[in-house]
Amino acid sequence: MSNKKVTGKVWKFGSDINTDLVIPNFAIYMTREEQPAHCFVANRPGWVDEVQPGDILIAGTNFGVGSGRPIGDVFVDLGVFAVVAESFNGLGLRNCVNAGLASLPCKGILDAFDEGDIAEVDWGTGEVRNLTKGTTLTGQALPPEIQSIVEEGGVMAKLKKEGFVS
Amino acid sequence: MGMNAIEKILAKRSGQTVVKPGDVVMVDVDTAVSFDYGKPNIKKIHNPDMLVLLHDHVVPSPTLSAANGAKSLREFVAKFGIKNYFPVGRHGISHVLVAEEGLALPGNILVNGDSHTCSSGALNCLARGMGPSEMTYIICKGKTWYIVGPTTKIVLEGTLSEGVFPRDVIHYIAGQHGDFAGRNLEWYGPGLEAIGMDGRLTMATISAELSVEFSLFPYDKVLADYLDGRAKKPFEPSFPDDDAVYDQVITINLSEIEPQVVLPNKVAWNSKPISEVVGKHVDQAFIGSCANGRLSDFAIAAQVVKGKKVAEGTRFIITPGSQEVMRQAVKAGYVETLLEAGAVVTNSTCGACYGGHMGLLADGEVCITASTRNFKGRMGSAEAEIYMGSPATVAASAIAGVIADPRVALKVKELA
């Protein structure tokens, strides 16, 4: 059994989910503790009150397009266990990985799930199972070097351990 | 099998002879750019001379938090002895400044904590944006990783028509080809020769909205002339091998493009020829940012508004990309022309582009902008609509009070 397997309830989002939706302009200079409350307020108000620790985010193409805003931190703080998207914006992906958030590009993911289904995501192998529907598909697991950043809990944890930052 | 120009930089800086799409490379970073806030948690850094520090998003400080952030940046500069620091007064938007100052160089790898870092791709510099934690990592360790992506070669042919600009070209590509997530762009073709550095920097900057990993322009005469006397250190440009491999080739005839407007909320697959959107009322028109805050943007705006007035019920804001752009725009008389037309010329800052400390949109308002993004809520209210056009389109719209075709405005001027 892979230690990179997470199981949780699915929230579905569309394509082109951008950074400004995750951290709105008015929240950029708020503290990390304050930011999660404003996630998706423009496109899905109230979602932050519904999402539960262990839930899984599923999205369409071009997830995380936009700025350098640390979207991964927000999802980690909201308790999201993994993000699976048809495709990721490169910077969005880096910000998820660097926050220690399991991330998996997976073509066909939007059609394979309805919101509320239970997903089992193995971000080590790329296998995604829809436990509600009994179907399986395989995503494009990130290279091992990148997975190890997630395993270590993100880059800041690594830098702290190595004595570069306080 | 040869490598393209992007692969050759990645191979060189990762100490390998060959890299190919799908490889993960660990590279030495040449230049790291950071702004506004110090990083007081950092105890040791890799190399002070690889850093460029400056103020752009919040300058001069509009809030106490920003003021304390700026103070912490100055303290960081002093603590680690950073030479490439641009204090308030010599400030500018990071991507504009590194080009102007000859700090983004061909064949180099540059990172920056802002997403529009691919702007420096216009200088044949392999540049991309990073998030805040990764910037901390690179400042500490001097290294980062990339997954080598497949590369699309864009070949530009023909010449842009009167009233059509490089900004329209990148909008056209976004409309026709959508996003390029995980992929690179390399730009070539005879059509590129007539596009100057300002236009290339615009297209490289907006490549971020196409979700590219890297957007790289060739080292040609235009770039060589620009860097002559400007480059702060020697450099080695990257050229593709003769048998370089491209995953896709897109050929664009520039003469067939008309002004392109991006509709609100997203950029990929979302632009229309201007003829389909003219007449929409605009409350605000904005020109600025790392995409279009350069001298040629001021020149175009001044040309369009000369002798006219901004429409009643419309605000026109224009922001230089750096103090140097401001100085030159004043000297050339563009600022005076714009002020006479009723435009607001502001201090150099990222400001209105990201709904920062000025130029915000109210509920239900409509904006036409030559800045970087049109996301919901980006420039203020989530109930506002943001259209994007070239600086000429924005200036013509400011005068008309509605989205307007700049070719009409420019033609009228010619006849007058």
Side-chain angles (χ1 to χ4, degrees):
Chain A
M1 166 118 175
S2 165
N3 63 350
K4 295 175 179 172
K5 205 177 266 187
V6 294
T7 305
K9 192 178 84 163
V10 160
W11 294 97
K12 257 180 93 166
F13 288 82
S15 291
D16 303 297
I17 294 298
N18 68 59
T19 54
D20 297 32
L21 295 174
V22 181
I23 303 175
N25 64 325
F26 63 82
I28 299 175
Y29 299 114
M30 289 181 182
T31 63
R32 177 166 175 172
E33 290 70 28
E34 293 168 323
Q35 282 176 341
H38 308 287
C39 180
F40 294 147
V41 70
N43 58 324
R44 201 161 175 178
W47 179 75
V48 290
D49 300 321
E50 296 180 78
V51 64
Q52 295 291 321
D55 287 354
I56 289 171
L57 220 67
I58 279 180
T61 56
N62 204 18
F63 180 81
V65 60
S67 79
R69 301 175 198 188
I71 59 171
D73 293 356
V74 169
F75 295 130
V76 165
D77 292 352
L78 288 170
V80 171
F81 269 16
V83 178
V84 186
E86 298 272 344
S87 68
F88 283 79
N89 167 280
L91 180 51
L93 177 67
R94 297 182 92 95
N95 276 330
C96 289
V97 165
N98 286 327
L101 177 62
S103 308
L104 180 69
C106 181
K107 292 196 170 64
I109 192 72
L110 266 193
D111 286 342
F113 282 84
D114 288 313
E115 185 151 295
D117 286 354
I118 304 297
E120 182 188 83
V121 178
D122 188 330
W123 52 277
T125 64
E127 189 175 279
V128 182
R129 294 176 62 199
N130 185 330
L131 299 183
T132 307
K133 293 187 166 56
T135 52
T136 300
L137 68 167
T138 305
Q140 298 75 50
L142 296 176
E145 301 94 318
I146 314 303
Q147 289 186 18
S148 72
I149 300 171
V150 176
E151 275 184 295
E152 288 177 275
V155 285
M156 290 311 289
K158 189 175 162 71
L159 288 175
K160 254 179 214 156
K161 204 161 70 185
E162 294 175 4
F164 282 97
V165 299
S166 53
Chain B
M1 203 162 67
M3 290 188 286
N4 61 45
I6 289 170
E7 289 162 352
K8 283 173 79 171
I9 298 174
L10 290 173
K12 188 173 169 194
R13 299 300 283 147
S14 64
Q16 298 181 75
T17 45
V18 179
V19 302
K20 58 182 187 314
D23 289 354
V24 178
V25 292
M26 184 63 73
V27 297
D28 293 318
V29 173
D30 294 291
T31 307
V33 185
S34 191
F35 47 86
D36 291 334
Y37 289 77
K39 289 178 178 281
N41 58 333
I42 293 182
K43 293 200 273 193
K44 45 187 174 179
I45 67 172
H46 177 70
N47 172 11
D49 295 337
M50 75 182 283
L51 296 185
V52 177
L53 302 178
L54 50 92
H55 305 265
D56 62 4
H57 284 67
V58 279
V59 58
S61 305
T63 62
L64 184 56
S65 148
N68 282 319
K71 186 179 169 203
S72 73
L73 185 66
R74 290 190 292 271
E75 287 166 355
F76 187 96
V77 167
K79 181 178 172 186
F80 292 109
I82 311 300
K83 295 193 199 87
N84 285 316
Y85 168 61
F86 296 88
V88 177
R90 289 174 63 208
H91 62 277
I93 300 172
S94 63
H95 318 300
V96 176
L97 209 56
V98 294
E100 266 176 7
E101 294 287 334
L103 290 165
L105 295 172
N108 277 9
I109 289 184
L110 180 146
V111 300
N112 177 331
D114 183 87
S115 57
H116 292 105
T117 302
C118 47
S119 178
S120 293
L123 298 140
N124 191 249
C125 177
L126 200 68
R128 70 153 301 134
M130 298 287 177
S133 60
E134 190 159 14
M135 282 306 298
T136 300
Y137 187 89
I138 295 165
I139 289 169
C140 292
K141 307 193 90 162
K143 286 178 184 299
T144 192
W145 54 270
Y146 297 115
I147 303 172
V148 182
T151 301
T152 296
K153 179 180 185 176
I154 307 243
V155 181
L156 302 181
E157 293 177 346
T159 314
L160 289 168
S161 309
E162 171 86 32
V164 186
F165 297 89
R167 177 82 197 206
D168 296 303
V169 177
I170 193 80
H171 285 180
Y172 174 81
I173 294 170
Q176 296 294 311
H177 300 278
D179 73 79
F180 291 76
R183 305 173 60 83
N184 306 310
L185 299 180
E186 285 189 17
W187 301 76
Y188 300 101
L192 198 55
E193 288 166 25
I195 297 179
M197 283 312 299
D198 283 6
R200 296 177 186 202
L201 285 156
T202 296
M203 294 196 289
T205 301
I206 299 299
S207 297
E209 307 316 311
L210 275 52
S211 276
V212 304
E213 289 293 300
F214 298 107
S215 184
L216 198 81
F217 284 68
Y219 181 77
D220 61 0
K221 185 169 185 314
V222 172
L223 176 53
D225 287 350
Y226 181 78
L227 287 169
D228 187 24
R230 186 189 302 265
K232 289 290 192 292
K233 54 180 187 182
F235 57 84
E236 253 182 71
S238 186
F239 301 96
D241 289 331
D242 290 339
D243 56 347
V245 175
Y246 293 93
D247 186 71
Q248 177 191 27
V249 179
I250 295 172
T251 303
I252 293 168
N253 186 342
L254 296 174
S255 59
E256 290 172 2
I257 296 178
E258 69 167 293
Q260 303 281 314
V261 172
V262 181
L263 308 185
N265 299 339
K266 65 172 196 156
V267 180
W269 302 115
N270 201 28
S271 40
K272 289 250 190 291
I274 194 158
S275 50
E276 295 181 30
V277 285
V278 288
K280 174 95 184 167
H281 168 76
V282 291
D283 299 285
Q284 182 166 307
F286 175 57
I287 297 173
S289 83
C290 47
N292 287 99
R294 297 185 178 80
L295 192 65
S296 60
D297 301 310
F298 270 73
I300 292 161
Q303 185 190 345
V304 172
V305 305
K306 194 171 178 65
K308 305 191 183 86
K309 293 286 178 197
V310 171
E312 204 177 313
T314 299
R315 312 178 290 271
F316 182 23
I317 301 170
I318 181 162
T319 297
S322 69
Q323 286 279 87
E324 179 59 16
V325 171
M326 177 68 111
R327 194 185 66 75
Q328 292 182 16
V330 168
K331 199 173 165 192
Y334 302 147
V335 169
E336 190 178 356
T337 300
L338 288 158
L339 292 174
E340 278 170 359
V344 178
V345 181
T346 82
N347 160 62
S348 171
T349 171
C350 303
C353 171
Y354 79 111
H357 54 284
M358 62 179 194
L360 271 72
L361 303 174
D363 299 345
E365 286 195 325
V366 176
C367 178
I368 178 95
T369 186
S371 52
T372 65
R373 286 198 179 114
N374 61 347
F375 298 166
K376 198 173 171 68
R378 167 84 178 172
M379 298 177 74
S381 171
E383 305 309 317
E385 290 185 341
I386 306 166
Y387 291 77
M388 299 202 299
S390 76
T393 296
V394 172
S397 303
I399 298 301
V402 296
I403 294 180
D405 190 329
R407 293 172 298 183
V408 177
L410 289 165
K411 201 159 281 166
V412 168
K413 190 186 165 299
E414 272 172 19
L415 294 172

